[in-house]
Structures are given as structure tokens and as C-alpha cells.
Amino acid sequence: MSGRYALFRWPPALTVLRGFPADLAPHWSIAPGARVLMLRDAAGVREAALARWGLTPAWLTDLSRTPAHARAETLAEQPMFREAFRTRRCLLPANGFYEWRGAARKRPYWMAGEAPLLHFAAIWEAYPIDGQVYLSVAMITQAAASQRRPVVLDEAGQALWLDAASPMGPLQELLLRPAPALRERALADLVNDPRLDAPECLTPA
């Protein structure tokens, strides 16, 4: 499962989006529960916002149950996700993500694309508390060999995903496309420490 990813470098084109936080800090280890950068469409304009990684619908009463992931195969059917899938889709920009493999002692790997920035498919919700509205997200994942990985969208896929007018059929087809080829690099065990959030996370094996 893609339980951690990184966003430590972003292009200038991202910083000019409406809502982009001027004080956004680089992170080499982003885990569920963290505040993350999301991109969404607002009246045809792409905008940025910060959200908690762990989906929190307004009707949820048990705030200890906020899923960080949603399966692409069942997204349209699950009560927790289906309304957000229809009307509240977003992207999570990332430089890459981590994957652990092995039986006895799992080896961490860094997974990245040819471009410096990946865009993961995600859905968002708004949760009102004491007159304030908090945003939250869940990452969409798909099966990839024995793993589950984020659904990575190319430029055309991003436009389709964010467009409020996109029909459900093409959106579901988009989620079930084969995962793109990614570059991978075996890492040292430093990233296994969940407290570490620094460039050392990417230390090669």
C-alpha cells in the first residue's frame, strides 16, 4: 500500500495557482493524517488547497475512521466514497512515493516518474466544525503486481478527472487503466523511521 509519499520540490506553475500556500514546506515523508496539498477545479479554474490525508465526510461521527485510501475498483459503489467520486475529485501532486517489498525484512523503494511531478487521483470532502470547514482527501489506489499503488494521471487524465462535467463511464475507465511505468530505486532503511522527514529518506541502499 502506498502509505507514504513525498513533495519536496514543485514547479513555479504550481505556486501561481489560487490558494497555493505561500508557506508550504517541503516534505520527504508524508503519511496519513498529515496536511497535504491538493489541486481541484473551481468553476473551470484549477486551484490549490491544504487538506488532511484521511477522508472525513460531513456525516461521519467516528473521527477515528477516516480512510486514507480508496480502491479504484469499488470507488463508485462504496457509500463512503461514491458521492465524492461523482462531485469532489482532486489531485495530489507528488515527486514520488515509497513502496516496501519483501517477506521477512521489507526493503523500501522510491517510485518516481520521468517528469519531476506526479499527480495522484484523489477525492475530497469538507467537514464543518465550530463554524469552520476543514478539507480532507483520500488517495485512489489500483492493483499493481502484489502491491497497491496510487492512480497516476497524465495531463489528459488530470483534465478529465477534474472536469465536473466528465461522465462516470470515462472516469471509471480512467481509473482502470494499467499503471504507468515508473522508475524505482532501492533505499536504505532510514525511511523506515516514521519520524524522519528529511532528504535522508532517499538515501540509496
Side-chain angles (χ1 to χ4, degrees):
M1 180 62 73
S2 47
R4 277 194 276 165
Y5 71 96
L7 180 62
F8 49 82
R9 186 182 301 118
W10 45 86
L14 210 57
T15 66
V16 299
L17 292 181
R18 182 174 62 194
F20 186 89
D23 59 349
L24 184 68
H27 290 286
W28 286 263
S29 181
I30 300 172
R35 294 188 81 200
V36 299
L37 184 71
M38 76 169 191
L39 310 177
R40 58 181 177 174
D41 181 86
V45 177
R46 191 171 296 195
E47 68 175 19
L50 289 176
R52 181 181 181 274
W53 187 10
L55 197 71
T56 311
W59 49 261
L60 193 68
T61 56
D62 184 355
L63 298 185
S64 67
R65 300 179 61 192
T66 55
H69 303 92
R71 291 176 173 253
E73 301 89 339
T74 57
L75 189 61
E77 306 160 8
Q78 294 293 325
M80 176 71 80
F81 308 123
R82 61 191 178 197
E83 182 60 28
F85 174 42
R86 284 196 291 266
T87 61
R88 291 180 292 279
R89 297 180 297 274
C90 63
L91 302 169
L92 300 177
N95 299 116
F97 62 95
Y98 299 99
E99 190 169 273
W100 280 262
R101 303 179 202 159
R105 184 175 180 179
K106 292 187 179 293
R107 165 68 61 189
Y109 287 80
W110 171 244
M111 312 296 295
E114 294 298 329
L117 205 63
L118 299 175
H119 290 84
F120 305 149
I123 51 178
W124 66 272
E125 287 280 7
Y127 192 93
I129 301 179
D130 297 331
Q132 282 192 286
V133 176
Y134 296 88
L135 300 178
S136 64
V137 296
M139 176 192 293
I140 313 304
T141 67
Q142 63 183 169
S146 60
Q147 302 280 342
R148 293 199 67 83
R149 292 177 177 171
V151 173
V152 178
L153 301 179
D154 59 17
E155 193 169 343
Q158 294 169 41
L160 179 66
W161 184 250
L162 291 184
D163 188 348
S166 294
M168 288 295 101
L171 287 172
Q172 289 179 298
E173 292 173 10
L174 179 68
L175 291 178
L176 299 179
R177 287 179 186 172
L182 296 171
R183 295 184 289 122
E184 62 180 58
R185 185 172 78 222
L187 300 177
D189 291 338
L190 295 173
V191 70
N192 290 351
D193 182 353
R195 298 166 298 178
L196 182 64
D197 182 16
E200 288 77 16
C201 288
L202 296 178
T203 302

